[in-house]
Amino acid sequence: MRVLSGIQPSGGLHIGNYFGAIRQYLALQHGNDAFYFVADYHALTSVRDADRLRRAVFDVLADLLALGLDPEEATLFVQSDVPETTELAWLLSSVTPMGWLEKCVSYKDKVAQGIPAEHGLFAYPVLQAADILLYDADVVPVGQDQKQHLEVTRDIAERFNNVYGRGEPVFRLPEPYILETAAVVPGLDGRKMSKSYENTIEIFDEPKAILKKCKRIVTDSRPVEEPKDPEGDNLFQLFKLFAPADERTEVERRYRAGGIGYGEVKTRLAEHIAAHFAPARARRAEWVAHPARVSEVRAAGAEQARRAARVVLDRARAACGVA
Ligand code: TYM
């Protein structure tokens, strides 16, 4: 199975990225033909500082390697190292109705807020379709927020196939892979965890910073002795992701019976998060101390990715008559 996914370099990775996507990247890298990339072309729609972008690309590469992405198992690359992506985006653009893009949320939200949007943001889903179709991906592990982009990708692929296919489809139709239990990881305020809401807990924060963040998680104001509803509680949803089964059951029981305070759960959650990522934090320090090794992984990944991309791009060019 060909697996592909991407992540934007727009700041430190958070635990929503981890449970919603990265954990699935790691599971699927074994026994599949997996491609994972840092989506720097996409980040140009929001990051406007060249040095910051370069640093952020390096950081995401180091983060993914530290979290266990194995360059022997999967191809790890940077989107802009494969300029074929932008050519395919143009071929796809030419068959994409404006109406499909007008419906896409990030563009629609910006316009609804009265903020002028750039063409890059409008065309973002076409670039994402190019990312996916360029590698003949079968499966795309993502969080729920990317579902719409996957639907547009499939629509564009079908449209291109119908227009140019001559009985043979040009593109393979990809399936999203969204894990039910982590489809939308909540942030400190209960909304989806997201950089733009400033409600994130970063994977590589120091334990002290993690505790500080956990203390800010919004709950209701029920005192210790009062029974509480674990399902409706944002803090418990985060706790559930980290605590082992027996501890989860114990805390859930005490929520329902009363006798547990949110403060205790926050402290225990912070300890779990810090412990969970401690080995990755140590591995990250190793990668950061040896940036040349990160560059080697990047260069090898670019070569492999370009080789795969060329096959599909040539097929698409031939199908539509530019070759
Ligand atoms: P990005 O960089 O915002 O997020 C990376 C991945 O993390 C998931 N995610 C979450 N999952 C659950 N709960 C959350 N709170 C949460 N926050 C983020 C995202 O769903 C995503 O899987 N457009 C994409 C990047 C992209 C891409 C692609 C993805 C570009 N090209 C091709 C797949 C295939 C994005 O901005 O993800």
Side-chain angles (χ1 to χ4, degrees), residues 4-10 13-22 25 37 39 42 79 124 127-129 131-132 140-147 149-150 182-187 191-194:
L4 173 127
S5 199
I7 200 156
Q8 282 202 62
S10 43
L13 297 185
H14 54 72
I15 63 180
N17 298 134
Y18 181 72
F19 286 100
I22 298 168
Y25 300 178
F37 68 95
H42 278 102
Q79 186 184 29
Y124 185 112
L127 183 61
Q128 184 155 342
D131 295 331
I132 298 169
V140 184
V142 285
Q144 179 74 24
D145 59 356
Q146 296 300 311
K147 195 166 179 232
H149 287 156
L150 262 294
V184 185
V185 175
R191 292 186 291 172
K192 183 190 85 165
M193 186 174 287
S194 164

Side-chain angles (χ1 to χ4, degrees), residues 161-176:
N161 286 345
N162 286 335
V163 174
Y164 295 117
R166 297 195 184 171
E168 274 273 303
V170 182
F171 296 119
R172 195 175 290 181
L173 294 190
E175 293 288 343

